[in-house]
Amino acid sequence: MTEVDLIEGFRDPEHMKALAALIKKECKSKINIMEVCGGHTHTIMKFGLSQILPDLIEFVHGPGCPVCIMPKERIDHAIALASMPNTILATLGDMIRVPGSKTSLQKLRAEGKDIRSLYSPMDVIKIAQENPDKNVVFFAIGFETTTPMSAVLVQQAIALGLKNVFFHINHVTVPEAVDAIMSGGDAKIDAFLGPSHVSVITGYKIYEPIAEKYHTPVVVSGFEPTDVMESVLRIVRQINEGKSVVDNEYARAVSREGNLKAQELVNTYFKKREHFRWRGIGDIPKSTLKLRAQYAAYDAEIVFDDVLPKEELNDHKMCICGDILKGKAKPFDCKVFGKACTPTNPMGSCMVSSEGACAAYFKYGKLSLKGATA
C-alpha cells in the first residue's frame, strides 16, 4: 500500500460534498471556528473547504505556527549565535528566512556563516560529532509535536558525552496560547479545531479546561480535508445540542492521555519558562519550555548569554500578523498583503512561514473547489 492509497479516502470529493450537505442542513446559526494550527489553514485553503461550506461557517486563523509566533528578539538571538566565530547554527523549516531586526539567517548564510536547515533534528548530533572543534547550536522551535525530538537530542548529547552542542529552546505550548486569545475578549470564536499531531503527544485532555472555561467545543482534527469537514460537522452538532466538550475526530492516532513516554522524556529535560513574548500576542506566562537547571551546560541562553541581545522588538507597523494570529483579522485585511508583502519579499512571519495564514491565502486564495480537489 502506498502513501497515496492511505490518504486517498480522506480526499474523496464525493465524501467531502456529502459532509458539506450535512453541515448545510444542520447548521442553524453563525459559527466562528478557529483552526489553531497553520496546517489546518492550509488544508482549508488548498482544498477550498470554505467554498463548499455554508456562509454560516467562518474559519478564523489562529496562532499555531511556531515560525509565525517567534518574536524578533528570539530571531536576533539566533543571528547573534550564528555570528559567533567557530560556530555552526542549525534549525528547522522556514526559520532561516524570517527577518530579525537587521538581517535574517538566510542572508547571514549567504555572507558565509555556517547555518544549516535540517530535515531531521537528529542530524545535530552527527554535525557535532563531525565538527568537534566547533560549537554547534540547535535553535529549537515547535509546539508539543516536536518537543520530544529536542528532548531526545539532549539525551543523546549527554549519553555521548558531547561538549560542543548547545540548545536554544523555543518550544511553545498550545493551551496557554488559546487561553490568552480567549481571555483577551477581542476574538469572536465559538469553537476550535485542535491540531491532531499535538494531541498525539499530549492527548486530547489538554483542551478540556478550555472547553469548560469558555464553553467552546473543541474537536481534535486530522489534517486531511474530510478530517476537517467531519470535525466541522461535529462542532455544528455540539452547538445544536448546547454542548461544549472536547471531541476526538482523529481517534486513529489520538487518545485522551497521549504518548506518556514522550511526555516523561520532555518533563525530564524541560520545564515551563515563567514568561515568553509571542509575536503579535505579547507575553503569555508559562507558555514555553526551557532546559532544566541541571542541564545548564547545554543551554545556549546561559552559556552564550553575553552575546545575546536583550531588547524586545515589535513588528513592522504595516504588518498585521499579530491581529491575524489572534483571530482578529484575515490576510486580506492587511494593506500590504500581496503588494509590499509577498513570499519572495515577506514583511511578516505569517508570509514567511510555509504554515502561515498569509502564505496560504497567497498560494491558494483564488482556487476554486474543482481546482483544489484535482
Side-chain angles (χ1 to χ4, degrees):
M1 180 177 289
T2 68
E3 182 178 350
V4 173
D5 295 328
L6 288 171
I7 64 175
E8 188 175 17
F10 297 102
R11 297 184 177 184
D12 178 56
E14 295 306 316
H15 190 185
M16 291 166 60
K17 291 176 183 176
L19 287 167
L22 280 174
I23 293 167
K24 184 177 181 180
K25 178 181 178 182
E26 298 186 29
C27 187
K28 301 173 181 174
S29 60
K30 181 82 173 180
I31 303 176
N32 294 321
I33 302 173
M34 172 174 274
E35 77 274 8
V36 175
C37 180
H40 280 144
T41 306
H42 277 253
T43 297
I44 291 163
M45 297 301 294
K46 179 178 179 180
F47 293 94
L49 301 189
S50 294
Q51 293 160 283
I52 61 172
L53 286 169
D55 292 340
L56 290 172
I57 300 296
E58 182 77 24
F59 289 112
V60 181
H61 316 306
C65 165
V67 174
C68 296
I69 59 87
M70 199 63 59
K72 278 188 177 181
E73 57 263 28
R74 302 294 288 187
I75 298 166
D76 278 0
H77 279 199
I79 291 168
L81 292 167
S83 300
M84 295 190 305
N86 213 34
T87 298
I88 300 171
L89 185 128
T91 189
L92 297 173
D94 302 312
M95 186 52 69
I96 69 167
R97 297 180 58 224
V98 183
S101 62
K102 297 176 181 177
T103 187
S104 67
L105 291 172
Q106 187 177 43
K107 291 179 180 176
L108 209 59
R109 183 168 67 179
E111 295 169 4
K113 296 298 181 184
D114 196 342
I115 298 167
R116 306 187 187 187
S117 183
L118 303 176
Y119 290 104
S120 168
M122 292 307 294
D123 288 343
V124 170
I125 299 298
K126 182 180 179 183
I127 293 170
Q129 290 174 315
E130 292 176 346
N131 298 274
D133 58 336
K134 292 187 175 181
N135 293 324
V136 178
V137 180
F138 180 49
F139 190 75
I141 65 170
F143 283 84
E144 291 90 337
T145 315
T146 56
T147 308
M149 288 190 287
S150 294
V152 169
L153 283 178
V154 178
Q155 185 184 51
Q156 286 286 305
I158 295 171
L160 294 169
L162 296 175
K163 304 298 183 184
N164 65 324
V165 59
F166 306 93
F167 300 87
H168 190 283
I169 300 299
N170 301 276
H171 285 299
V172 288
T173 52
V174 170
E176 290 77 10
V178 172
D179 186 59
I181 289 170
M182 293 301 286
S183 63
D186 294 330
K188 306 301 181 187
I189 300 166
D190 303 305
F192 291 95
L193 289 177
S196 57
H197 52 9
V198 165
S199 285
V200 167
I201 302 297
T202 65
Y204 65 76
K205 64 182 183 298
I206 63 168
Y207 299 113
E208 290 173 348
I210 298 292
E212 181 177 359
K213 181 177 180 181
Y214 297 105
H215 307 292
T216 51
V218 180
V219 178
V220 174
S221 174
F223 288 90
E224 293 300 328
T226 56
D227 284 322
V228 174
M229 296 291 286
E230 170 70 24
S231 299
V232 171
L233 179 60
R234 294 187 182 202
I235 286 172
V236 169
R237 288 176 173 172
Q238 276 206 48
I239 289 178
N240 286 347
E241 295 170 8
K243 294 182 178 179
S244 53
V245 299
V246 181
D247 188 10
N248 179 23
E249 184 274 339
Y250 203 69
R252 57 190 186 271
V254 169
S255 65
R256 182 179 183 277
E257 300 304 323
N259 186 328
L260 298 179
K261 288 186 177 179
Q263 293 170 30
E264 181 180 1
L265 189 65
V266 169
N267 290 332
T268 297
Y269 295 102
F270 301 124
K271 61 178 289 188
K272 287 281 188 179
R273 192 186 297 267
E274 289 300 316
H275 295 279
F276 189 85
R277 206 171 77 105
W278 291 49
R279 173 174 283 206
I281 300 177
D283 179 55
I284 304 178
K286 297 186 181 301
S287 64
T288 321
L289 301 177
K290 65 177 184 179
L291 279 167
R292 291 188 178 276
Q294 57 264 47
Y295 308 112
Y298 294 91
D299 192 335
E301 288 189 73
I302 295 175
V303 176
F304 304 114
D305 175 69
D306 57 333
V307 306
L308 298 179
K310 304 298 187 293
E311 182 183 4
E312 294 184 348
L313 301 164
N314 294 320
D315 291 328
H316 191 289
K317 291 182 179 178
M318 296 295 290
C319 176
I320 65 167
C321 277
D323 285 344
I324 294 171
L325 294 171
K326 288 186 286 191
K328 296 169 59 179
K330 292 191 174 183
F332 290 149
D333 298 324
C334 181
K335 294 180 179 178
V336 296
F337 173 80
K339 300 172 184 173
C341 184
T342 66
T344 55
N345 184 35
M347 292 176 62
S349 57
C350 294
M351 185 65 87
V352 172
S353 170
S354 60
E355 289 191 4
C358 293
Y361 271 62
F362 190 91
K363 188 173 183 179
Y364 303 116
K366 296 180 181 178
L367 287 181
S368 66
L369 173 62
K370 182 179 179 180
T373 54

